[in-house]
Each structure stands twice: as C-alpha cells, then as structure tokens.
Amino acid sequence: MKKFLITLLIPVFVLNSCTKVLDQVPQDKITEENFYKTPGDAEAAATGIYDAAQALSTQYPVAFDAASDLANALLINYSPFSQHGITVDNAIVASYWQNNYLGIGRCNDVLKNVPNINSSLFAAGQKERILSEAYFMRAYFYFNLLKAFGGVPLVTVPYDSFNADFTIARSTTDQVYAQILADLKNAEPNLPLSYPSNIDTRGRATQGGAKALMAKVYLAMKDYTNAAAKALEVMNNSTYNLVTGASSYAAMFSASSKNSNESIFEIQYVSSSSESNGLFSFYVPTPAPSGIQGGSYQIVPTDKIINAFEAGDIRRTVSVSNSPATPSVPYIGKYLRLTNGTDPNIIAIRLADIILIRAEALNNLGQTDGATDALNIIRRRAFGLPLNTASSRDFPSANDTVNGYNLTQAIENERMKELCFEGQRFDDLVRTGRAAAVLGISTNQTLWPIPLREVGRNPKLQQNPGY
C-alpha cells in the first residue's frame, strides 16, 4: 500500500515581490485550496486512509487476543489485558483510540473535499468509488471503537478551524451503530466487486467487503435476519472461496503468499524496512524455525487452544506451532516474519468468518438445519474433506457428544478454532454474553476505559463504568 506523502514546499520570495504574501496559501499544509484538485489527489487521499488501518496492528489483534482465553501475555505491556486490569492511562488503549480517529479524520477529509473536484476529470465511477471507500473505512474504524469502548463521539466532518468546538459528548451505542450502517449502505452500491489487481481486491474496500462488514455489524446488533442475509450474499459472491487443503490453508497466513481467495479485507504490510507490522516480535520465540525471524515471545497460546484441535485438523499447526528449541515451546503461528524481513498481512475479514456468522445468525433464528449446514462447511474444510459431502465431522460429531455440545456451543467452539489469534475471540464472548462465564470478568471489564488524555482534553467525555 502506497504511503500518502506530501512533499514539503518551501516558497522563496524576492524581497521586493512581497505584495499580498499574507494572502497566499501555505504550501507545506494540505488544504482544500492546494491539494484536492485532481483525481490523483483524491486517490492519494483515499490511500492514506488505509495507512491509518495499518497503524492498528499492535492493538488489533494483539491486545484483543491477550484479553481472551486463548493467549496469555508474559510481559508488562500486554499483561493488563490478560489480567483484565486495564488502567485509564494505558498507552495501548490510547493508541487504539487515536489511530482509529486518525483514520476517521482522513475519511472525513475525503468525504468533504472530493465532491468538490471537477467530476469531468474522473473516469466513469471513479469519484463515486473513492467516496465509497471512505464511507466503508469510516464504518470500519467506528465499529472498532464501538467494540472497544461502547458509544463514542461521532465526528463526521473535518476539523478545519481552530475555532471549532473540539469537545463532543459520546453518542449512544445505537447512534454509532446507525452511523456505521448508514456509511456501509452509502458505500455498498458504488464499490466494485473486484479491482484489476488482486492486492487491491483484497486490500481495498469492495462491495463484498461492505456486505461482510454489515453482516458482522448486524450480528453484533442481534439483528439475525439481516446478518444471515448479508452473510449469504457474500457466500454467493464468486470473488471469494474457501481455500482447501493443508498447504493452502497455511499459505493464507504466510508472508510469502498473501491475499488468498478467502480473504475479503486484508490489511497490507510489506517488510521490516517498509510498512511492517512487527507482530512476530510478540508471538515468536528465539530460536525460531529455519527461515523465520525469532521474536521476544511475549504472548503465548493457552493450553485451552493448544488442546482444542482434534487429530487431523489442518488448522492446528498453522495456529499453534512448536519451536525447534529443547525443550520446545508452543507459539502463535499466524504472523511469522521471514528472515528476509517480509511480514504477513493481517486478515481483517475472511469468508470462513462470514460462513460462521451465518451459522450463528440462523441458529438464533431457530433455523437449525441451515445453521448446521454452514457449520459443517467449515468443519469439513478443517479436515481436508469435500465441502459439500456429509462426513463424520458433521454436527453432531463424536467430539460434540463427548463434550456435550449443543449447536450453539458447537458454533462457538468452531469460531474459537477457526479464528483464533485473529482478534475475534474476546468480542465473540462479549457478544454472546459468555465473557463472565468463560473469562471470569464483570460487565464493566468487557469495555476498555476512555483514555485519560482524552477525558482530560474533553470535559464532555464520560468515562466508562468501573474506571
């Protein structure tokens, strides 16, 4: 993903040519007057939105996984998440707030200024597509904030004046959901199904991405009818297919083979020298396997997830690997940096997630046959079986019987195994009301505190209960 860079221009004036100097637009600032002039400017501004998503990597998925029952933080930086003792001055929480609002600000800039560029300069549909990308990403950032903090201030226009009121009260959760859905509905019709390049199809907003994010939002809202319907629209989109087989499943998370056909929205990274995410440093021990860069092994998988996979499940060695040291230690294997410095991407939304969303939604609607069908697709893939042929792994399997799983528990367990270490588990437990039983936390601990700095700067910000 290209960086959004503006070169600093230093004007040089002849001393006797200073007429109306004070009326000139400063050339070292991005303003409406000197930047938003061409389709190239609009494309560059849209690209800058995705850069803001890249900045979230050390907060999402890392902090959310550390807060789940699948990982433990060994060092002090993430241990407050594992121990559910986050304080209002936590730097990771502050960064998550700031980085999401940075992205929202860039979306707002695009949505305000791109409409004013002469439409005749754009290719057919280009202007509408750029605006739709901004709508999609603004919804993405607000959904991130909503899951972490609950209701947050809704900012939908740029702050372009030092005289503007920067103190905005928190909107309610329902109001933020309404804004997210409005943005996604604005985005959906004008986004492409795909782009000429696969990296853009997986790394930029698409029509399928908007539908998939809507499915996730509707599920969080417990609007199961719309969640199931949107999930089915994504499943019927030929742009996306489940990868099959152990090697293809492993490749989906590999730094050397990014942007698989299963990926719907993938945050793009390059290498240690340019646009890195550095997640290996938290997860990987030293020494690491040949070709893999060793890290500091700060966040480790729990026995629960290590022992969750049945024999023959192709997801086990990808999700939890074992180091070559003696004694060997288990480590999270989805974010491995190669020794040449190449980083993997972070998959934000993929088809398996959406299929399991449909299973959960249909189950909540009492449509157990459809829910079971969706669940079984993921189970068969996990054991290298044909996706549409009945198998011994189908619900209810022998493993379900041994563990006493009903369909609701089976879907939860499948999401845990399929999406482990992708930042989903903590939110799944909160969404289903299972956080207290599984994690032993209170309702107050299901949300992060509003950062101390933000409360100090904005007296209208009300802190979350318990902080």
Side-chain angles (χ1 to χ4, degrees):
M1 189 68 64
K2 288 183 179 178
K3 288 289 188 184
F4 179 30
L5 301 176
I6 301 299
T7 303
L8 178 65
L9 302 178
I10 303 176
V12 179
F13 302 104
V14 178
L15 290 177
N16 61 359
S17 302
C18 58
T19 305
K20 296 186 179 179
V21 166
L22 295 179
D23 295 335
Q24 297 186 29
V25 177
Q27 295 298 300
D28 62 341
K29 305 293 183 185
I30 300 175
T31 68
E32 298 172 32
E33 289 80 9
N34 71 1
F35 179 67
Y36 286 97
K37 298 296 185 183
T38 69
D41 294 342
E43 293 281 10
T47 299
I49 298 171
Y50 297 100
D51 291 345
Q54 289 176 326
L56 296 169
S57 63
T58 57
Q59 304 108 55
Y60 180 91
V62 185
F64 289 90
D65 284 333
S68 78
D69 55 336
L70 308 185
N72 281 323
L74 302 180
L75 299 182
I76 193 170
N77 51 354
Y78 289 98
S79 60
F81 296 91
S82 291
Q83 297 166 7
H84 303 286
I86 305 169
T87 57
V88 295
D89 59 350
N90 185 281
I92 294 167
V93 170
S95 293
Y96 195 62
W97 177 283
Q98 292 162 7
N99 288 331
N100 277 292
Y101 272 111
L102 171 65
I104 289 165
R106 292 182 181 184
C107 294
N108 290 340
D109 285 338
V110 168
L111 292 170
K112 178 184 178 182
N113 294 305
V114 168
N116 298 326
I117 301 175
N118 188 337
S119 295
S120 67
L121 301 174
F122 290 86
Q126 182 186 17
K127 187 175 188 179
E128 293 78 11
R129 186 259 302 162
I130 291 170
L131 292 170
S132 295
E133 287 186 81
Y135 279 123
F136 171 84
M137 289 303 298
R138 188 167 70 180
Y140 176 79
F141 291 125
Y142 269 123
F143 193 43
N144 287 344
L145 290 168
L146 189 65
K147 289 183 290 183
F149 301 103
V152 293
L154 277 176
V155 183
T156 57
V157 294
Y159 283 122
D160 52 11
S161 169
F162 287 112
N163 296 319
D165 184 1
F166 292 93
T167 58
I168 300 176
R170 297 174 67 173
S171 295
T172 66
T173 296
D174 287 346
Q175 288 170 331
V176 179
Y177 272 131
Q179 183 64 55
I180 291 168
L181 288 175
D183 281 350
L184 290 173
K185 289 174 182 178
N186 278 327
E188 182 184 5
N190 292 312
L191 286 170
L193 290 172
S194 63
Y195 294 83
S197 71
N198 188 53
I199 188 172
D200 286 337
T201 298
R202 313 297 164 183
R204 300 188 79 131
T206 58
Q207 194 171 113
K211 293 176 187 293
L213 188 52
M214 271 195 271
K216 292 177 75 69
V217 172
Y218 281 129
L219 188 70
M221 297 174 68
K222 304 188 186 309
D223 182 345
Y224 300 121
T225 298
N226 278 317
K230 281 299 174 185
L232 184 60
E233 289 182 41
V234 178
M235 292 165 64
N236 289 336
N237 185 336
S238 61
T239 306
Y240 314 111
N241 295 284
L242 291 179
V243 300
T244 56
S247 60
S248 294
Y249 191 85
M252 180 162 54
F253 301 97
S254 172
S256 58
S257 53
K258 309 174 185 181
N259 301 302
S260 76
N261 287 342
E262 185 168 328
S263 183
I264 297 172
F265 183 50
E266 194 159 316
I267 310 301
Q268 305 293 312
Y269 295 91
V270 183
S271 70
S272 56
S273 60
S274 173
E275 297 183 315
S276 66
N277 59 53
L279 296 191
F280 81 98
S281 65
F282 302 111
Y283 298 134
V284 182
T286 299
S290 176
I292 302 300
Q293 187 166 330
S296 56
Y297 197 54
Q298 299 179 36
I299 298 174
V300 303
T302 62
D303 288 343
K304 179 173 186 174
I305 188 62
I306 293 170
N307 297 325
F309 297 98
E310 298 170 65
D313 192 327
I314 65 174
R315 299 171 297 192
R316 170 38 165 101
T317 56
V318 178
S319 303
V320 181
S321 302
N322 292 290
S323 74
T326 304
S328 179
V329 296
Y331 65 92
I332 295 165
K334 287 187 173 179
Y335 304 99
L336 306 182
R337 174 181 286 179
L338 304 182
T339 49
N340 66 10
T342 305
D343 266 344
N345 290 340
I346 293 176
I347 303 174
I349 311 174
R350 59 185 176 98
L351 183 58
D353 180 10
I354 301 306
I355 293 172
L356 289 171
I357 283 174
R358 180 164 171 79
E360 184 176 329
L362 290 177
N363 185 44
N364 278 288
L365 291 169
Q367 299 177 33
T368 55
D369 288 347
T372 301
D373 289 343
L375 169 63
N376 288 339
I377 291 171
I378 302 303
R379 286 191 165 188
R380 293 166 191 164
R381 193 269 292 271
F383 291 92
L385 301 171
L387 301 183
N388 299 309
T389 302
S391 79
S392 61
R393 304 293 180 176
D394 290 359
F395 178 85
S397 67
N399 187 62
D400 295 316
T401 302
V402 168
N403 288 287
Y405 290 152
N406 59 28
L407 183 55
T408 299
Q409 292 166 323
I411 293 169
E412 178 188 299
N413 188 57
E414 206 63 35
R415 283 189 65 84
M416 178 186 75
K417 291 184 288 186
E418 179 65 41
L419 302 168
C420 61
F421 314 121
E422 296 178 45
Q424 305 279 353
R425 175 65 171 173
F426 182 79
D427 180 56
D428 283 352
L429 293 173
V430 172
R431 182 187 69 252
T432 58
R434 294 258 296 142
V438 176
L439 302 175
I441 62 176
S442 68
T443 301
N444 289 345
Q445 291 170 303
T446 62
L447 293 176
W448 291 358
I450 305 298
L452 178 64
R453 180 185 178 189
E454 304 302 327
V455 174
R457 294 194 299 186
N458 181 358
K460 293 180 183 177
L461 271 183
Q462 191 171 25
Q463 183 57 267
N464 277 328
Y467 294 100

